Amino acid sequence: MEISTLATYHCLAFGWYFFVAYSITNVRTEERPSEVFLYGGQWKYLTVLNLVLQAVFYGVSFLADVLRLIKKRRCAKCIISSRDLLFSVLAFPVSTFVSISFWTLYTYNRELVYPKSLDGVIPLWLNHAMHTAVLLFAVLEILAMPHRYPAKKKGLILLGFVAFLYISWVLWIYSVTGEWVYPLFALFSPAGLAAFFAGSLAVVISFYNFGEFLNRMIWGQSKFCF
């Protein structure tokens, strides 16, 4: 894509994610089911955190495009490095994990991840914006332009660290409230939950590797935007 086209796309994507994140974080208090949105509010859900992550990523991408358009190449290189690191380590694997894991569990038993009581609070379009469109945007981003992936060890360490932070947040909420962020977690013994978290991390890592594979297959090793 031309830089101006990329800038337009990234600006629109940033606006979209900002709007979706604003919409879900401003659900009126009186409409919220009693069993959700308690301690930690919406910020305990990976889906909502992912919306913020995507908004940040597309904001950084738009800034990189603008700097390239005005020929500020020295500044652009630094921003582009941040953009590529965000996309490769977090934006693509987390979006893919959120979408695929949500719809898999939703199909099996929606009450484990998205209680029916939410249907009266969160409209259908917003549900798909949070859990379907995120995957489409992630794939479109790979198709739109190449991204430089970090060394595999560095990428996996960063991804593992972020996963550790989120799991710690989930466990902290349980220690304070006695309630799990997702009803699914209550089905496991401590050992089973540890295995579930480890398995989920393995799945996220596989999505990281898949994103790197797609990027390499589509763009090769040498085409990067500077």
Side-chain angles (χ1 to χ4, degrees), residues 13-218:
F14 169 75
W16 166 253
Y17 274 113
F18 184 86
F19 169 70
V20 173
Y22 177 83
S23 297
I24 190 61
T25 55
N26 282 274
V27 173
R28 288 184 294 178
T29 303
E30 63 271 18
E31 293 181 348
R32 300 174 184 176
S34 59
E35 68 271 22
V36 297
F37 299 151
L38 298 176
Y39 185 88
Q42 293 95 327
W43 305 111
K44 61 186 175 183
Y45 298 111
L46 184 60
T47 293
V48 177
L49 295 175
N50 180 56
L51 294 177
V52 176
L53 167 65
Q54 300 305 317
V56 170
F57 164 70
Y58 282 105
V60 171
S61 297
F62 176 61
L63 176 59
D65 296 334
V66 171
L67 290 174
R68 292 172 64 204
L69 282 171
I70 62 176
K71 309 300 183 181
K72 298 289 186 179
R73 291 188 176 273
R74 182 174 298 179
C75 295
K77 285 185 178 181
C78 178
I79 301 300
I80 287 171
S81 295
S82 299
R83 177 202 69 193
D84 289 346
L85 190 65
L86 271 173
F87 180 77
S88 61
V89 175
L90 295 176
F92 182 84
V94 174
S95 285
T96 306
F97 178 78
V98 164
S99 183
I100 292 179
S101 62
F102 174 82
W103 288 114
T104 299
L105 291 169
Y106 185 98
T107 301
Y108 174 71
N109 182 356
R110 66 170 297 176
E111 294 298 319
L112 296 176
V113 290
Y114 194 83
K116 193 172 179 62
S117 57
L118 287 175
D119 288 345
V121 180
I122 300 176
L124 183 61
W125 74 265
L126 187 52
N127 183 19
H128 281 292
M130 296 187 296
H131 299 114
T132 306
V134 291
L135 178 58
L136 300 179
F137 271 99
V139 173
L140 182 58
E141 178 66 22
I142 279 189
L143 296 175
M145 63 182 301
H147 296 84
R148 186 184 298 275
Y149 273 66
K152 182 62 64 72
K153 182 179 180 179
K154 177 182 177 181
L156 294 182
I157 288 175
L158 289 173
L159 179 58
F161 178 70
V162 173
F164 171 78
L165 290 179
Y166 180 68
I167 291 172
S168 298
W169 174 227
V170 168
L171 294 176
W172 171 258
I173 291 173
Y174 178 74
S175 72
V176 172
T177 66
E179 300 288 337
W180 288 110
V181 171
Y182 297 103
L184 170 68
F185 297 160
L187 301 179
F188 296 104
S189 65
L193 189 61
F196 176 82
F197 285 148
S200 296
L201 178 58
V203 171
V204 175
I205 289 174
S206 72
F207 291 146
Y208 170 92
N209 290 327
F210 182 62
E212 185 177 28
F213 169 77
L214 284 179
N215 186 73
R216 184 172 62 251
M217 289 296 294
I218 295 170

